[in-house]
Amino acid sequence: MINFIPQAEIEELCEAMLRQHLGQEEPIPQSVDIDGFVQNYLKCRILYETFAEADPNKIGFTGDGRAPLKIKRDGQALSVVFPFKTIVLDRYLLRPEEHTHRRFTLGHEAGHLISMRINPESAACFHRTHDRERTYSLQEMQEMYSISEWQANTFSASLLMPRPVMYETLKRFNGGKRLPVYGETVFHPREKVILQKMADALEVSYTALVIRLRGLGLLNHHDISEYIEKELQLGGNTS
């Protein structure tokens, strides 16, 4: 049975661990060195292999010493059992264009590792991308959106975008003011520029940043009709 860890607890744990890792007197940097945290604080190995799983969207794996991972070496598919405290990422994540994707995936797998510490009965876990063009089985969907996957994503966001860093980054790029969003996902082009600058500074993806801002209540929500009528000057009373 999964020991559910609330978001507030994950936030506090991540901030405390980062401060221990860096030293209590050192501020958390805007771009968190997730590799250093995983290797030096969690004492975990990071390996890169070419995955040979049937599901091509499996891109990260946290070893538990029991569950095998299918990988390809020298043109042959092998099932390898990786020991506990080993994170295996698909080699393609080393491509420069996958930089933010790799960082979030590493944070996600670190979240699984921390969860295993909290709940030793947790099994080895995959991190997978979501292919919008693919039809997933019920079991795959349940795995993808399970509590453990939510927790791992929350750990990753909390490690890469800690609350103090988010507040400071918002202050730096928008004077500390919440960013307006219309509906759930629509931003004015001027806010998109700010969001991209924030994402670049944090070394995270634009999408991950928006989700994190929303979760921290740092977006100022407006009705989407306001954007359509005032900014696009369409519909409504625009005469």
Side-chain angles (χ1 to χ4, degrees):
M1 180 176 179
I2 294 174
N3 180 17
F4 177 72
I5 312 170
Q7 181 169 346
E9 185 176 331
I10 292 174
E11 298 271 10
E12 187 172 359
L13 278 171
C14 288
E15 289 173 32
M17 289 187 292
L18 285 170
R19 293 197 182 282
Q20 285 186 345
H21 169 57
L22 296 166
Q24 295 293 348
E25 303 303 318
E26 294 294 322
I28 301 174
Q30 195 159 58
S31 175
V32 172
D33 178 10
I34 189 65
D35 292 79
F37 175 80
V38 168
Q39 293 171 319
N40 301 322
Y41 184 81
L42 298 181
K43 308 298 182 184
C44 181
R45 293 181 70 200
I46 305 171
L47 302 178
Y48 293 89
E49 300 280 0
T50 300
F51 283 28
E53 292 287 328
D55 182 353
N57 294 306
K58 291 179 176 178
I59 57 173
F61 180 79
T62 304
D64 63 356
R66 301 186 303 272
L69 170 67
K70 291 182 181 178
I71 60 173
K72 186 176 289 186
R73 289 179 181 168
D74 300 322
Q76 293 186 331
L78 306 170
S79 289
V80 178
V81 175
F82 290 92
F84 179 60
K85 298 183 75 171
T86 303
I87 290 175
V88 189
L89 302 182
D90 197 304
R91 194 177 299 279
Y92 95 91
L93 289 171
L94 290 171
R95 298 172 184 173
E97 64 270 22
E98 299 295 335
H99 178 64
T100 59
H101 194 184
R102 186 193 71 84
R103 280 169 52 79
F104 195 88
T105 302
L106 182 55
H108 177 102
E109 296 305 327
H112 279 309
L113 189 73
I114 297 166
S115 295
M116 286 181 190
R117 289 283 191 174
I118 296 169
N119 179 21
E121 295 181 2
S122 298
C125 295
F126 281 103
H127 175 55
R128 54 173 109 206
T129 57
H130 185 94
D131 185 350
R132 295 180 183 276
E133 300 299 320
R134 182 181 166 198
T135 301
Y136 290 90
S137 69
L138 178 60
Q139 181 178 350
E140 287 174 322
M141 292 295 288
Q142 288 173 335
E143 289 177 1
M144 195 177 301
Y145 296 107
S146 67
I147 290 174
S148 64
E149 289 301 290
W150 173 87
Q151 286 182 170
N153 280 336
T154 303
F155 268 109
S156 187
S158 300
L159 288 169
L160 293 172
M161 296 171 279
R163 289 174 297 185
V165 173
M166 290 297 290
Y167 300 144
E168 183 59 34
T169 305
L170 189 62
K171 182 178 179 180
R172 175 183 170 190
F173 289 100
N174 200 48
K177 297 181 292 184
R178 290 185 301 162
L179 290 160
V181 60
Y182 301 89
E184 292 298 319
T185 59
V186 177
F187 293 91
H188 190 281
R190 61 177 171 264
E191 272 71 56
K192 288 183 178 180
V193 171
I194 293 171
L195 286 165
Q196 191 59 61
K197 287 181 178 179
M198 291 177 65
D200 291 343
L202 295 162
E203 293 189 70
V204 298
S205 71
Y206 180 98
T207 300
L209 173 65
V210 171
I211 292 172
R212 183 65 168 147
L213 288 167
R214 183 180 293 115
L216 292 176
L218 297 177
L219 296 179
N220 188 8
H221 289 269
H222 297 256
D223 194 284
I224 196 166
S225 62
E226 181 181 337
Y227 179 79
I228 294 171
E229 295 170 13
K230 291 185 178 180
E231 301 294 344
L232 302 183
Q233 296 187 348
L234 296 172
N237 185 14
T238 59
S239 57

